[in-house]
Amino acid sequence: MNTSTSTQRLGAAKQPMTISELRADYLAGKQTPESLIADIHARAAEVSHYNIWIHLLTNSEIQIYLDALQHKPIETHPLWGIPFAIKDNIDLAHIPTTAGCEAFAYTPTQSAKVVQQLIDAGAIPVGKTNLDQFATGLNGTRSPIGPCHNSFDPAYVSGGSSSGSSVAVGLGLATFSLGTDTAGSGRVPACFNNLIGLKPSVGLLSATGMVPACRSLDCMTVFAYNTDDANTVLSVAEGFDLTDGYSRANPYSNQTRQYGLRSGPLKVGIIPKEQLNFFGSDAYEKAYFDTINTLSSNGFELIEIDYAPFDEAAKLLYEGPWVTERYLAAQPIIDEQPEQVFPVVRQIIEQGSQPKATDLFSAEYRLHDLKQVCYAQLNALDCLLTPTAGRHFTIEEMLAEPILHNSQLGYYTNFMNLLDMASIAVPTQFTADGMPFGITLVGAALSDRALLSIANRVQQTFPLPTGAFNCPQPALTQSNVADSRVINVMVCG
Amino acid sequence: MNTSTSTQRLGAAKQPMTISELRADYLAGKQTPESLIADIHARAAEVSHYNIWIHLLTNSEIQIYLDALQHKPIETHPLWGIPFAIKDNIDLAHIPTTAGCEAFAYTPTQSAKVVQQLIDAGAIPVGKTNLDQFATGLNGTRSPIGPCHNSFDPAYVSGGSSSGSSVAVGLGLATFSLGTDTAGSGRVPACFNNLIGLKPSVGLLSATGMVPACRSLDCMTVFAYNTDDANTVLSVAEGFDLTDGYSRANPYSNQTRQYGLRSGPLKVGIIPKEQLNFFGSDAYEKAYFDTINTLSSNGFELIEIDYAPFDEAAKLLYEGPWVTERYLAAQPIIDEQPEQVFPVVRQIIEQGSQPKATDLFSAEYRLHDLKQVCYAQLNALDCLLTPTAGRHFTIEEMLAEPILHNSQLGYYTNFMNLLDMASIAVPTQFTADGMPFGITLVGAALSDRALLSIANRVQQTFPLPTGAFNCPQPALTQSNVADSRVINVMVCG
């Protein structure tokens, strides 16, 4: 199944691509942003059949960003010369935003607020990436330009809907990328491409300039090689936005200085065996139990929770009235030019015109009740830990059962935004076939840095190479942090 | 218009009824709970035509609560022997809950969580009070048992929907009472009966055992003579409830020890003149300007805000899809026995079956956008200050225009719960006719104690008698508190 060793993988980076390593190379004069972009363009051409990009920026389109670096000292610009990819439902000024649907496309005059902040900090946009159309999917095959192929084995799905953003980072065509996440779109592709997938608390990153899927639930996400990079990107990207109705201020306890290596014993919730589901994948089942056994020997006290209320909340997302938000987001195309919408996406979104307000209020009441029960469990823990996905499907398998297998991919992810929780997908294993597997850590809203600090510890427990190319991780942050919630109570109490 | 001096007012208490004064009387042996209840029963009989009660507890129904006091030391029970009234959409064990609709009535075996906590602290339930049916109204005339009459002048509306609860306290038939508030039902009647009307942050008081009006917005409220009493009741009544989907934990910065007398200069938002509306009431217009002029001379820096986004949010409540929540709450009566519903209430609630989920999501998006703009203004202030109501209508006027005049009563109150704000109605003036007028202070969610501390200062600035009977206020809390938000930033920062 695994076609080659990582170093020989087509299109993959042949050099370290993390933020700290690129900055060191720049400062040492070993490389320039121009030379890096040229290398990325050359490698992108080798893998054009992976369907990573909807629009790869040309040299002339990229030049303004390179030129701007002349006026930005690297010392004060944490993302100086760092290439990043943008899911094509997020605006980059003067480049069309398609959401994977040509008929929907528009060309924004301004970048999304988050994109602009990254650019201001020195980051270089490389291109707009493929996605499951209107971010409706978790698998990466639901695009008119063709399925996005996995960075480890092109026969496998990339995961979606942030498919291109994950594979671009997986192959080292970008150091990090922006995705979006409503049902798991920022986490499932991270798992399938050996990446960190940071799904921040809803509202921590501005949604201004982002095409909504479910506007009340969506958030922008970050794919990166490690938690240090994810924290650096988050620190630049975050910020309250008065013009985003769902934006919210970040409290002291969740600011960037709270990131580090979470030390000491941890109470971590896990799903009881009978509530786990691997959909027939022995490889993922084995990888999961290997992972939790290793963590259990490394200070993670594993405590079984009741997953039923989480699962019930998850089912509300596609089976309940929230699909109406997708319908609103895809108007007027879905009403006036339905033939322009990818068939399986259309089939899902069209249902969204039906629910009544009574359905939505009833579902919201139930969701609030479930949230109390889920949070009561979560509040007794440092975090919850789940497999990120139960099985990794091939593209052929996915296309044979596009609704069923997609919903299986969301088994562990669909509840997160409805329950207003933060989560981080962390790679932990390769299967015997050399395919990546990972877990997701789940925490309360605005516990992002606490989660990232635990994810850092998980990542240091499982030393893996970066993405789909055979570079080892650089040294990650060692500075210990304890539970910030405890500190705050002690100081204030 | 004003029929008598306060001391001669029919049914009104002839002795102090505040918590501190009653406790002092009990401790001094001047009175017993039994003698107080006998007095209340006698006076209630004098004003039975006020339609205050749907069910006044009989001596035998009340006896178990009196008996229980034998086992409760007064020293450790802050509400020992304190009589309170309960709006009849809140459960008291073994007494029917009607919500003002006989066909809807049921007899709960348990009291509402808040009621039980009050009883546990020694409070004595006196009766279940009249209300605008299904809490749908702000005026107090929408009840099958007849309009509830104002405690100052029976020709005037009591205000609603918590009509009976306000008049019961106004006349001293209870020391405090529970109301509910979706659109202003815990504030408008406070204004019209010279009472504190505390509308806590949504979720601070459990809604378990309360008939919903709009379940996502409702909260239980407290009518009291002064902020000291309101704080004491709130301290007993509040508390996180896992079984209430909208319950939320109270942060340190909002706990009872934060209550006091807010000192120093205050930045207080007011509505610009051109956005004020008194609906032709010169008396209320004069009282309002007298009030703010006095406050302006007493350390309140008055800063004009833009009221338009608040007003737009307010209009969403009755003109938007939230009426669907009322429809859900009144099912199945509204579907199966619509003739059992009070005509004007039916006319409103029946509309709730119509909206679609698309309407609701669109309205929620708009509301979230408005909330950001309103909160941005609020966050720059210590609080916002509005008239509680723009005009006090007679019952005759109200019945002539039951929809129009009711909506006018909500001009300053409808936005509060939709925008997730806390508020407190505070009496400040009597008009030339001797009718009460008051203002409402508005703060961010979970700023209840900061607001109460400002309300204490307002109340001490305007010394008025308690309710509709001519007892002066006892000495109120003098211990200074500063802005708790500043303290927290300093400690944690």
Side-chain angles (χ1 to χ4, degrees):
Chain A
M1 304 288 276
N2 189 16
T3 51
S4 61
T5 68
S6 300
T7 43
Q8 299 160 331
R9 192 163 279 133
L10 197 68
K14 293 173 186 68
Q15 57 156 64
M17 285 290 291
T18 66
I19 295 173
S20 60
E21 290 165 308
L22 284 181
R23 283 176 69 85
D25 284 355
Y26 289 148
L27 287 165
K30 289 187 186 167
Q31 184 151 244
T32 65
E34 286 77 4
S35 69
L36 181 65
I37 295 297
D39 175 58
I40 287 170
H41 276 174
R43 290 191 286 107
E46 294 177 16
V47 285
S48 60
H49 56 293
Y50 274 59
N51 300 320
I52 297 170
W53 307 100
I54 288 180
H55 183 98
L56 184 67
L57 266 63
T58 63
N59 278 325
S60 73
E61 285 167 343
I62 236 167
Q63 195 59 46
I64 52 164
Y65 302 107
L66 292 168
D67 289 348
L69 294 182
Q70 309 305 320
H71 312 289
K72 296 176 180 174
I74 186 169
E75 293 76 12
T76 55
H77 289 78
L79 298 176
W80 196 93
I82 304 296
F84 75 110
I86 303 166
K87 186 176 179 178
D88 200 21
N89 59 354
I90 301 170
D91 291 347
L92 175 66
H94 312 306
I95 305 291
T97 301
T98 71
C101 177
E102 272 304 325
F104 178 84
Y106 61 92
T107 301
T109 55
Q110 287 195 309
S111 293
K113 187 166 183 289
V114 165
V115 169
Q116 190 59 51
Q117 287 172 192
L118 296 168
I119 290 169
D120 290 346
I124 306 293
V126 172
K128 304 294 298 286
T129 61
N130 199 4
L131 70 160
D132 285 331
Q133 194 179 62
F134 291 118
T136 297
L138 290 172
N139 64 77
T141 69
R142 296 174 174 177
S143 169
I145 71 161
C148 185
H149 296 268
N150 186 272
S151 62
F152 279 77
D153 183 340
Y156 276 77
V157 298
S158 55
S161 62
S162 313
S163 52
S165 280
S166 64
V167 177
V169 179
L171 291 175
L173 301 173
T175 292
F176 72 90
S177 62
L178 296 178
T180 64
D181 189 313
T182 309
S185 294
R187 294 160 277 154
V188 171
C191 176
F192 292 164
N193 294 282
N194 189 37
L195 300 170
I196 292 288
L198 168 64
K199 188 216 80 64
S201 306
V202 170
L204 200 57
L205 270 59
S206 163
T208 299
M210 184 175 115
V211 178
C214 295
R215 196 187 147 194
S216 74
L217 305 173
D218 296 333
C219 53
M220 220 178 273
T221 71
V222 176
F223 295 102
Y225 299 116
N226 57 54
T227 54
D228 280 15
D229 282 10
N231 183 57
T232 300
V233 173
L234 179 61
S235 301
V236 171
E238 69 189 344
F240 178 71
D241 177 5
L242 185 65
T243 67
D244 169 9
Y246 291 86
S247 180
R248 55 184 168 187
N250 199 21
Y252 173 83
S253 60
N254 192 37
Q255 289 173 10
T256 190
R257 72 188 94 173
Q258 305 287 353
Y259 170 69
L261 177 65
R262 176 64 192 278
S263 55
L266 291 172
K267 285 187 191 299
V268 175
I270 57 167
I271 301 174
K273 231 173 192 170
E274 62 276 15
Q275 291 177 313
L276 287 167
N277 212 328
F278 294 98
F279 311 103
S281 172
D282 295 343
Y284 261 35
E285 184 168 4
K286 179 176 185 311
Y288 172 72
F289 284 105
D290 284 355
T291 295
I292 64 170
N293 288 337
T294 300
L295 291 173
S296 174
S297 313
N298 282 275
F300 284 64
E301 182 191 349
L302 303 178
I303 298 159
E304 288 195 346
I305 60 142
D306 176 15
Y307 193 60
F310 292 87
D311 191 44
E312 188 182 339
K315 290 194 170 71
L316 285 173
L317 187 62
Y318 279 97
E319 296 172 14
W322 278 270
V323 71
T324 293
E325 297 200 85
R326 296 183 188 271
Y327 173 77
L328 285 171
Q331 276 187 319
I333 300 292
I334 193 78
D335 287 338
E336 295 171 11
Q337 306 175 61
E339 73 285 356
Q340 298 295 319
V341 181
F342 199 75
V344 66
V345 172
R346 183 169 78 219
Q347 186 184 335
I348 293 164
I349 293 181
E350 278 179 342
Q351 301 165 20
S353 66
Q354 296 307 313
K356 303 198 69 173
T358 47
D359 300 323
L360 179 51
F361 275 121
S362 299
E364 284 184 352
Y365 298 160
R366 182 65 190 148
L367 177 62
H368 273 79
D369 290 342
L370 291 169
K371 189 175 166 188
Q372 299 286 29
V373 180
C374 292
Y375 256 85
Q377 296 196 72
L378 198 58
N379 289 340
L381 302 164
D382 288 295
C383 66
L384 173 64
L385 181 162
T386 74
T388 301
R391 176 171 170 179
H392 193 175
F393 296 97
T394 64
I395 290 175
E396 193 182 343
E397 287 167 340
M398 184 57 64
L399 294 178
E401 287 280 8
I403 298 277
L404 174 67
H405 288 333
N406 189 80
S407 77
Q408 291 170 334
L409 290 186
Y411 183 71
Y412 300 110
T413 60
N414 281 343
F415 65 83
M416 213 75 71
N417 288 316
L418 278 171
L419 292 175
D420 193 17
M421 293 176 179
S423 58
I424 303 174
V426 192
T428 62
Q429 303 271 336
F430 289 123
T431 65
D433 287 337
M435 298 299 288
F437 167 84
I439 57 169
T440 288
L441 306 177
V442 185
L446 303 175
S447 73
D448 306 77
R449 258 56 187 231
L451 273 188
L452 261 175
S453 302
I454 299 173
N456 178 7
R457 177 161 159 190
V458 172
Q459 209 168 13
Q460 296 197 33
T461 307
F462 298 97
L464 297 175
T466 55
F469 53 103
N470 212 2
C471 289
Q473 291 284 356
L476 298 181
T477 295
Q478 296 292 333
S479 62
N480 281 343
V481 290
D483 183 352
S484 62
R485 293 172 305 174
V486 174
I487 291 175
N488 282 328
V489 170
M490 287 169 57
V491 171
C492 294
Chain B
M1 304 288 278
N2 189 16
T3 52
S4 61
T5 68
S6 300
T7 42
Q8 300 160 332
R9 193 162 278 132
L10 197 68
K14 294 172 187 66
Q15 58 155 63
M17 285 290 291
T18 66
I19 295 174
S20 59
E21 290 165 308
L22 284 181
R23 284 175 69 84
D25 283 355
Y26 289 148
L27 286 165
K30 290 188 187 168
Q31 183 150 247
T32 64
E34 285 76 6
S35 68
L36 182 64
I37 295 296
D39 174 58
I40 287 170
H41 276 175
R43 291 191 286 108
E46 295 176 14
V47 284
S48 61
H49 56 294
Y50 275 57
N51 300 319
I52 297 170
W53 307 101
I54 288 179
H55 182 100
L56 184 66
L57 266 63
T58 63
N59 278 326
S60 73
E61 285 167 342
I62 236 166
Q63 196 59 46
I64 52 166
Y65 302 107
L66 293 169
D67 289 346
L69 293 182
Q70 308 306 319
H71 311 290
K72 295 176 180 174
I74 186 169
E75 295 75 12
T76 54
H77 290 78
L79 299 176
W80 194 94
I82 304 295
F84 75 110
I86 304 167
K87 186 175 180 178
D88 200 21
N89 59 352
I90 301 170
D91 291 346
L92 175 66
H94 314 305
I95 305 292
T97 301
T98 70
C101 176
E102 271 305 324
F104 178 85
Y106 61 92
T107 301
T109 55
Q110 287 194 307
S111 292
K113 187 166 184 289
V114 165
V115 169
Q116 190 58 53
Q117 286 171 193
L118 296 167
I119 291 169
D120 290 346
I124 307 292
V126 173
K128 305 292 298 287
T129 60
N130 199 4
L131 69 161
D132 285 330
Q133 193 179 63
F134 292 118
T136 297
L138 289 172
N139 64 77
T141 68
R142 297 176 174 176
S143 168
I145 71 163
C148 185
H149 295 268
N150 185 271
S151 61
F152 279 76
D153 184 340
Y156 277 76
V157 298
S158 57
S161 63
S162 312
S163 52
S165 280
S166 64
V167 177
V169 178
L171 292 175
L173 301 174
T175 293
F176 71 91
S177 61
L178 296 178
T180 63
D181 189 312
T182 309
S185 293
R187 293 160 278 155
V188 172
C191 176
F192 293 164
N193 294 281
N194 189 36
L195 300 171
I196 291 289
L198 168 64
K199 188 218 80 63
S201 306
V202 170
L204 199 57
L205 270 59
S206 163
T208 299
M210 183 176 116
V211 178
C214 296
R215 196 187 147 195
S216 73
L217 305 173
D218 295 334
C219 52
M220 219 178 275
T221 70
V222 176
F223 294 102
Y225 299 116
N226 57 53
T227 53
D228 281 13
D229 282 9
N231 184 58
T232 299
V233 174
L234 179 62
S235 300
V236 171
E238 69 190 344
F240 179 71
D241 178 4
L242 185 63
T243 67
D244 169 9
Y246 290 86
S247 179
R248 55 184 168 186
N250 200 18
Y252 172 84
S253 60
N254 192 38
Q255 290 173 11
T256 189
R257 72 187 93 173
Q258 305 287 353
Y259 170 70
L261 178 64
R262 177 63 192 280
S263 55
L266 290 172
K267 283 187 193 298
V268 175
I270 57 168
I271 301 174
K273 230 173 193 172
E274 63 275 16
Q275 292 177 314
L276 287 167
N277 212 329
F278 294 97
F279 311 103
S281 172
D282 294 343
Y284 261 34
E285 184 168 3
K286 178 177 186 307
Y288 171 71
F289 284 106
D290 284 355
T291 295
I292 64 170
N293 288 338
T294 301
L295 291 174
S296 174
S297 312
N298 282 275
F300 285 63
E301 182 192 349
L302 304 177
I303 298 159
E304 289 195 346
I305 60 143
D306 176 16
Y307 193 60
F310 293 86
D311 190 44
E312 187 181 340
K315 290 194 170 70
L316 284 173
L317 187 63
Y318 278 97
E319 296 172 15
W322 278 270
V323 71
T324 293
E325 297 200 85
R326 297 184 187 270
Y327 173 77
L328 285 171
Q331 276 186 318
I333 301 293
I334 194 78
D335 288 338
E336 295 170 11
Q337 305 174 61
E339 72 287 355
Q340 298 293 321
V341 181
F342 198 75
V344 67
V345 172
R346 182 169 79 220
Q347 185 183 336
I348 294 163
I349 294 182
E350 279 179 340
Q351 300 166 21
S353 66
Q354 296 307 312
K356 301 199 70 173
T358 47
D359 300 322
L360 179 51
F361 275 121
S362 297
E364 285 185 350
Y365 298 159
R366 182 63 191 150
L367 177 62
H368 273 78
D369 290 342
L370 291 169
K371 189 175 167 190
Q372 298 286 31
V373 179
C374 292
Y375 257 84
Q377 296 196 71
L378 198 58
N379 289 340
L381 301 165
D382 288 296
C383 67
L384 173 65
L385 182 162
T386 74
T388 300
R391 176 170 170 179
H392 193 176
F393 295 97
T394 64
I395 291 174
E396 192 182 344
E397 287 167 339
M398 183 58 64
L399 294 177
E401 288 280 5
I403 298 277
L404 174 66
H405 288 333
N406 189 79
S407 76
Q408 290 170 334
L409 291 185
Y411 183 71
Y412 301 109
T413 59
N414 282 342
F415 66 82
M416 214 73 72
N417 288 316
L418 278 171
L419 292 176
D420 192 18
M421 293 176 179
S423 58
I424 303 174
V426 193
T428 62
Q429 304 270 334
F430 289 123
T431 65
D433 287 337
M435 297 299 288
F437 167 84
I439 57 168
T440 288
L441 306 177
V442 186
L446 303 175
S447 73
D448 306 78
R449 258 58 187 229
L451 272 189
L452 261 175
S453 302
I454 299 172
N456 178 7
R457 178 159 158 191
V458 172
Q459 209 168 13
Q460 297 197 32
T461 306
F462 298 97
L464 298 175
T466 55
F469 52 104
N470 211 3
C471 288
Q473 291 285 355
L476 298 180
T477 295
Q478 296 291 332
S479 63
N480 280 344
V481 290
D483 183 351
S484 62
R485 293 171 305 174
V486 174
I487 292 173
N488 282 328
V489 169
M490 287 169 59
V491 171
C492 294

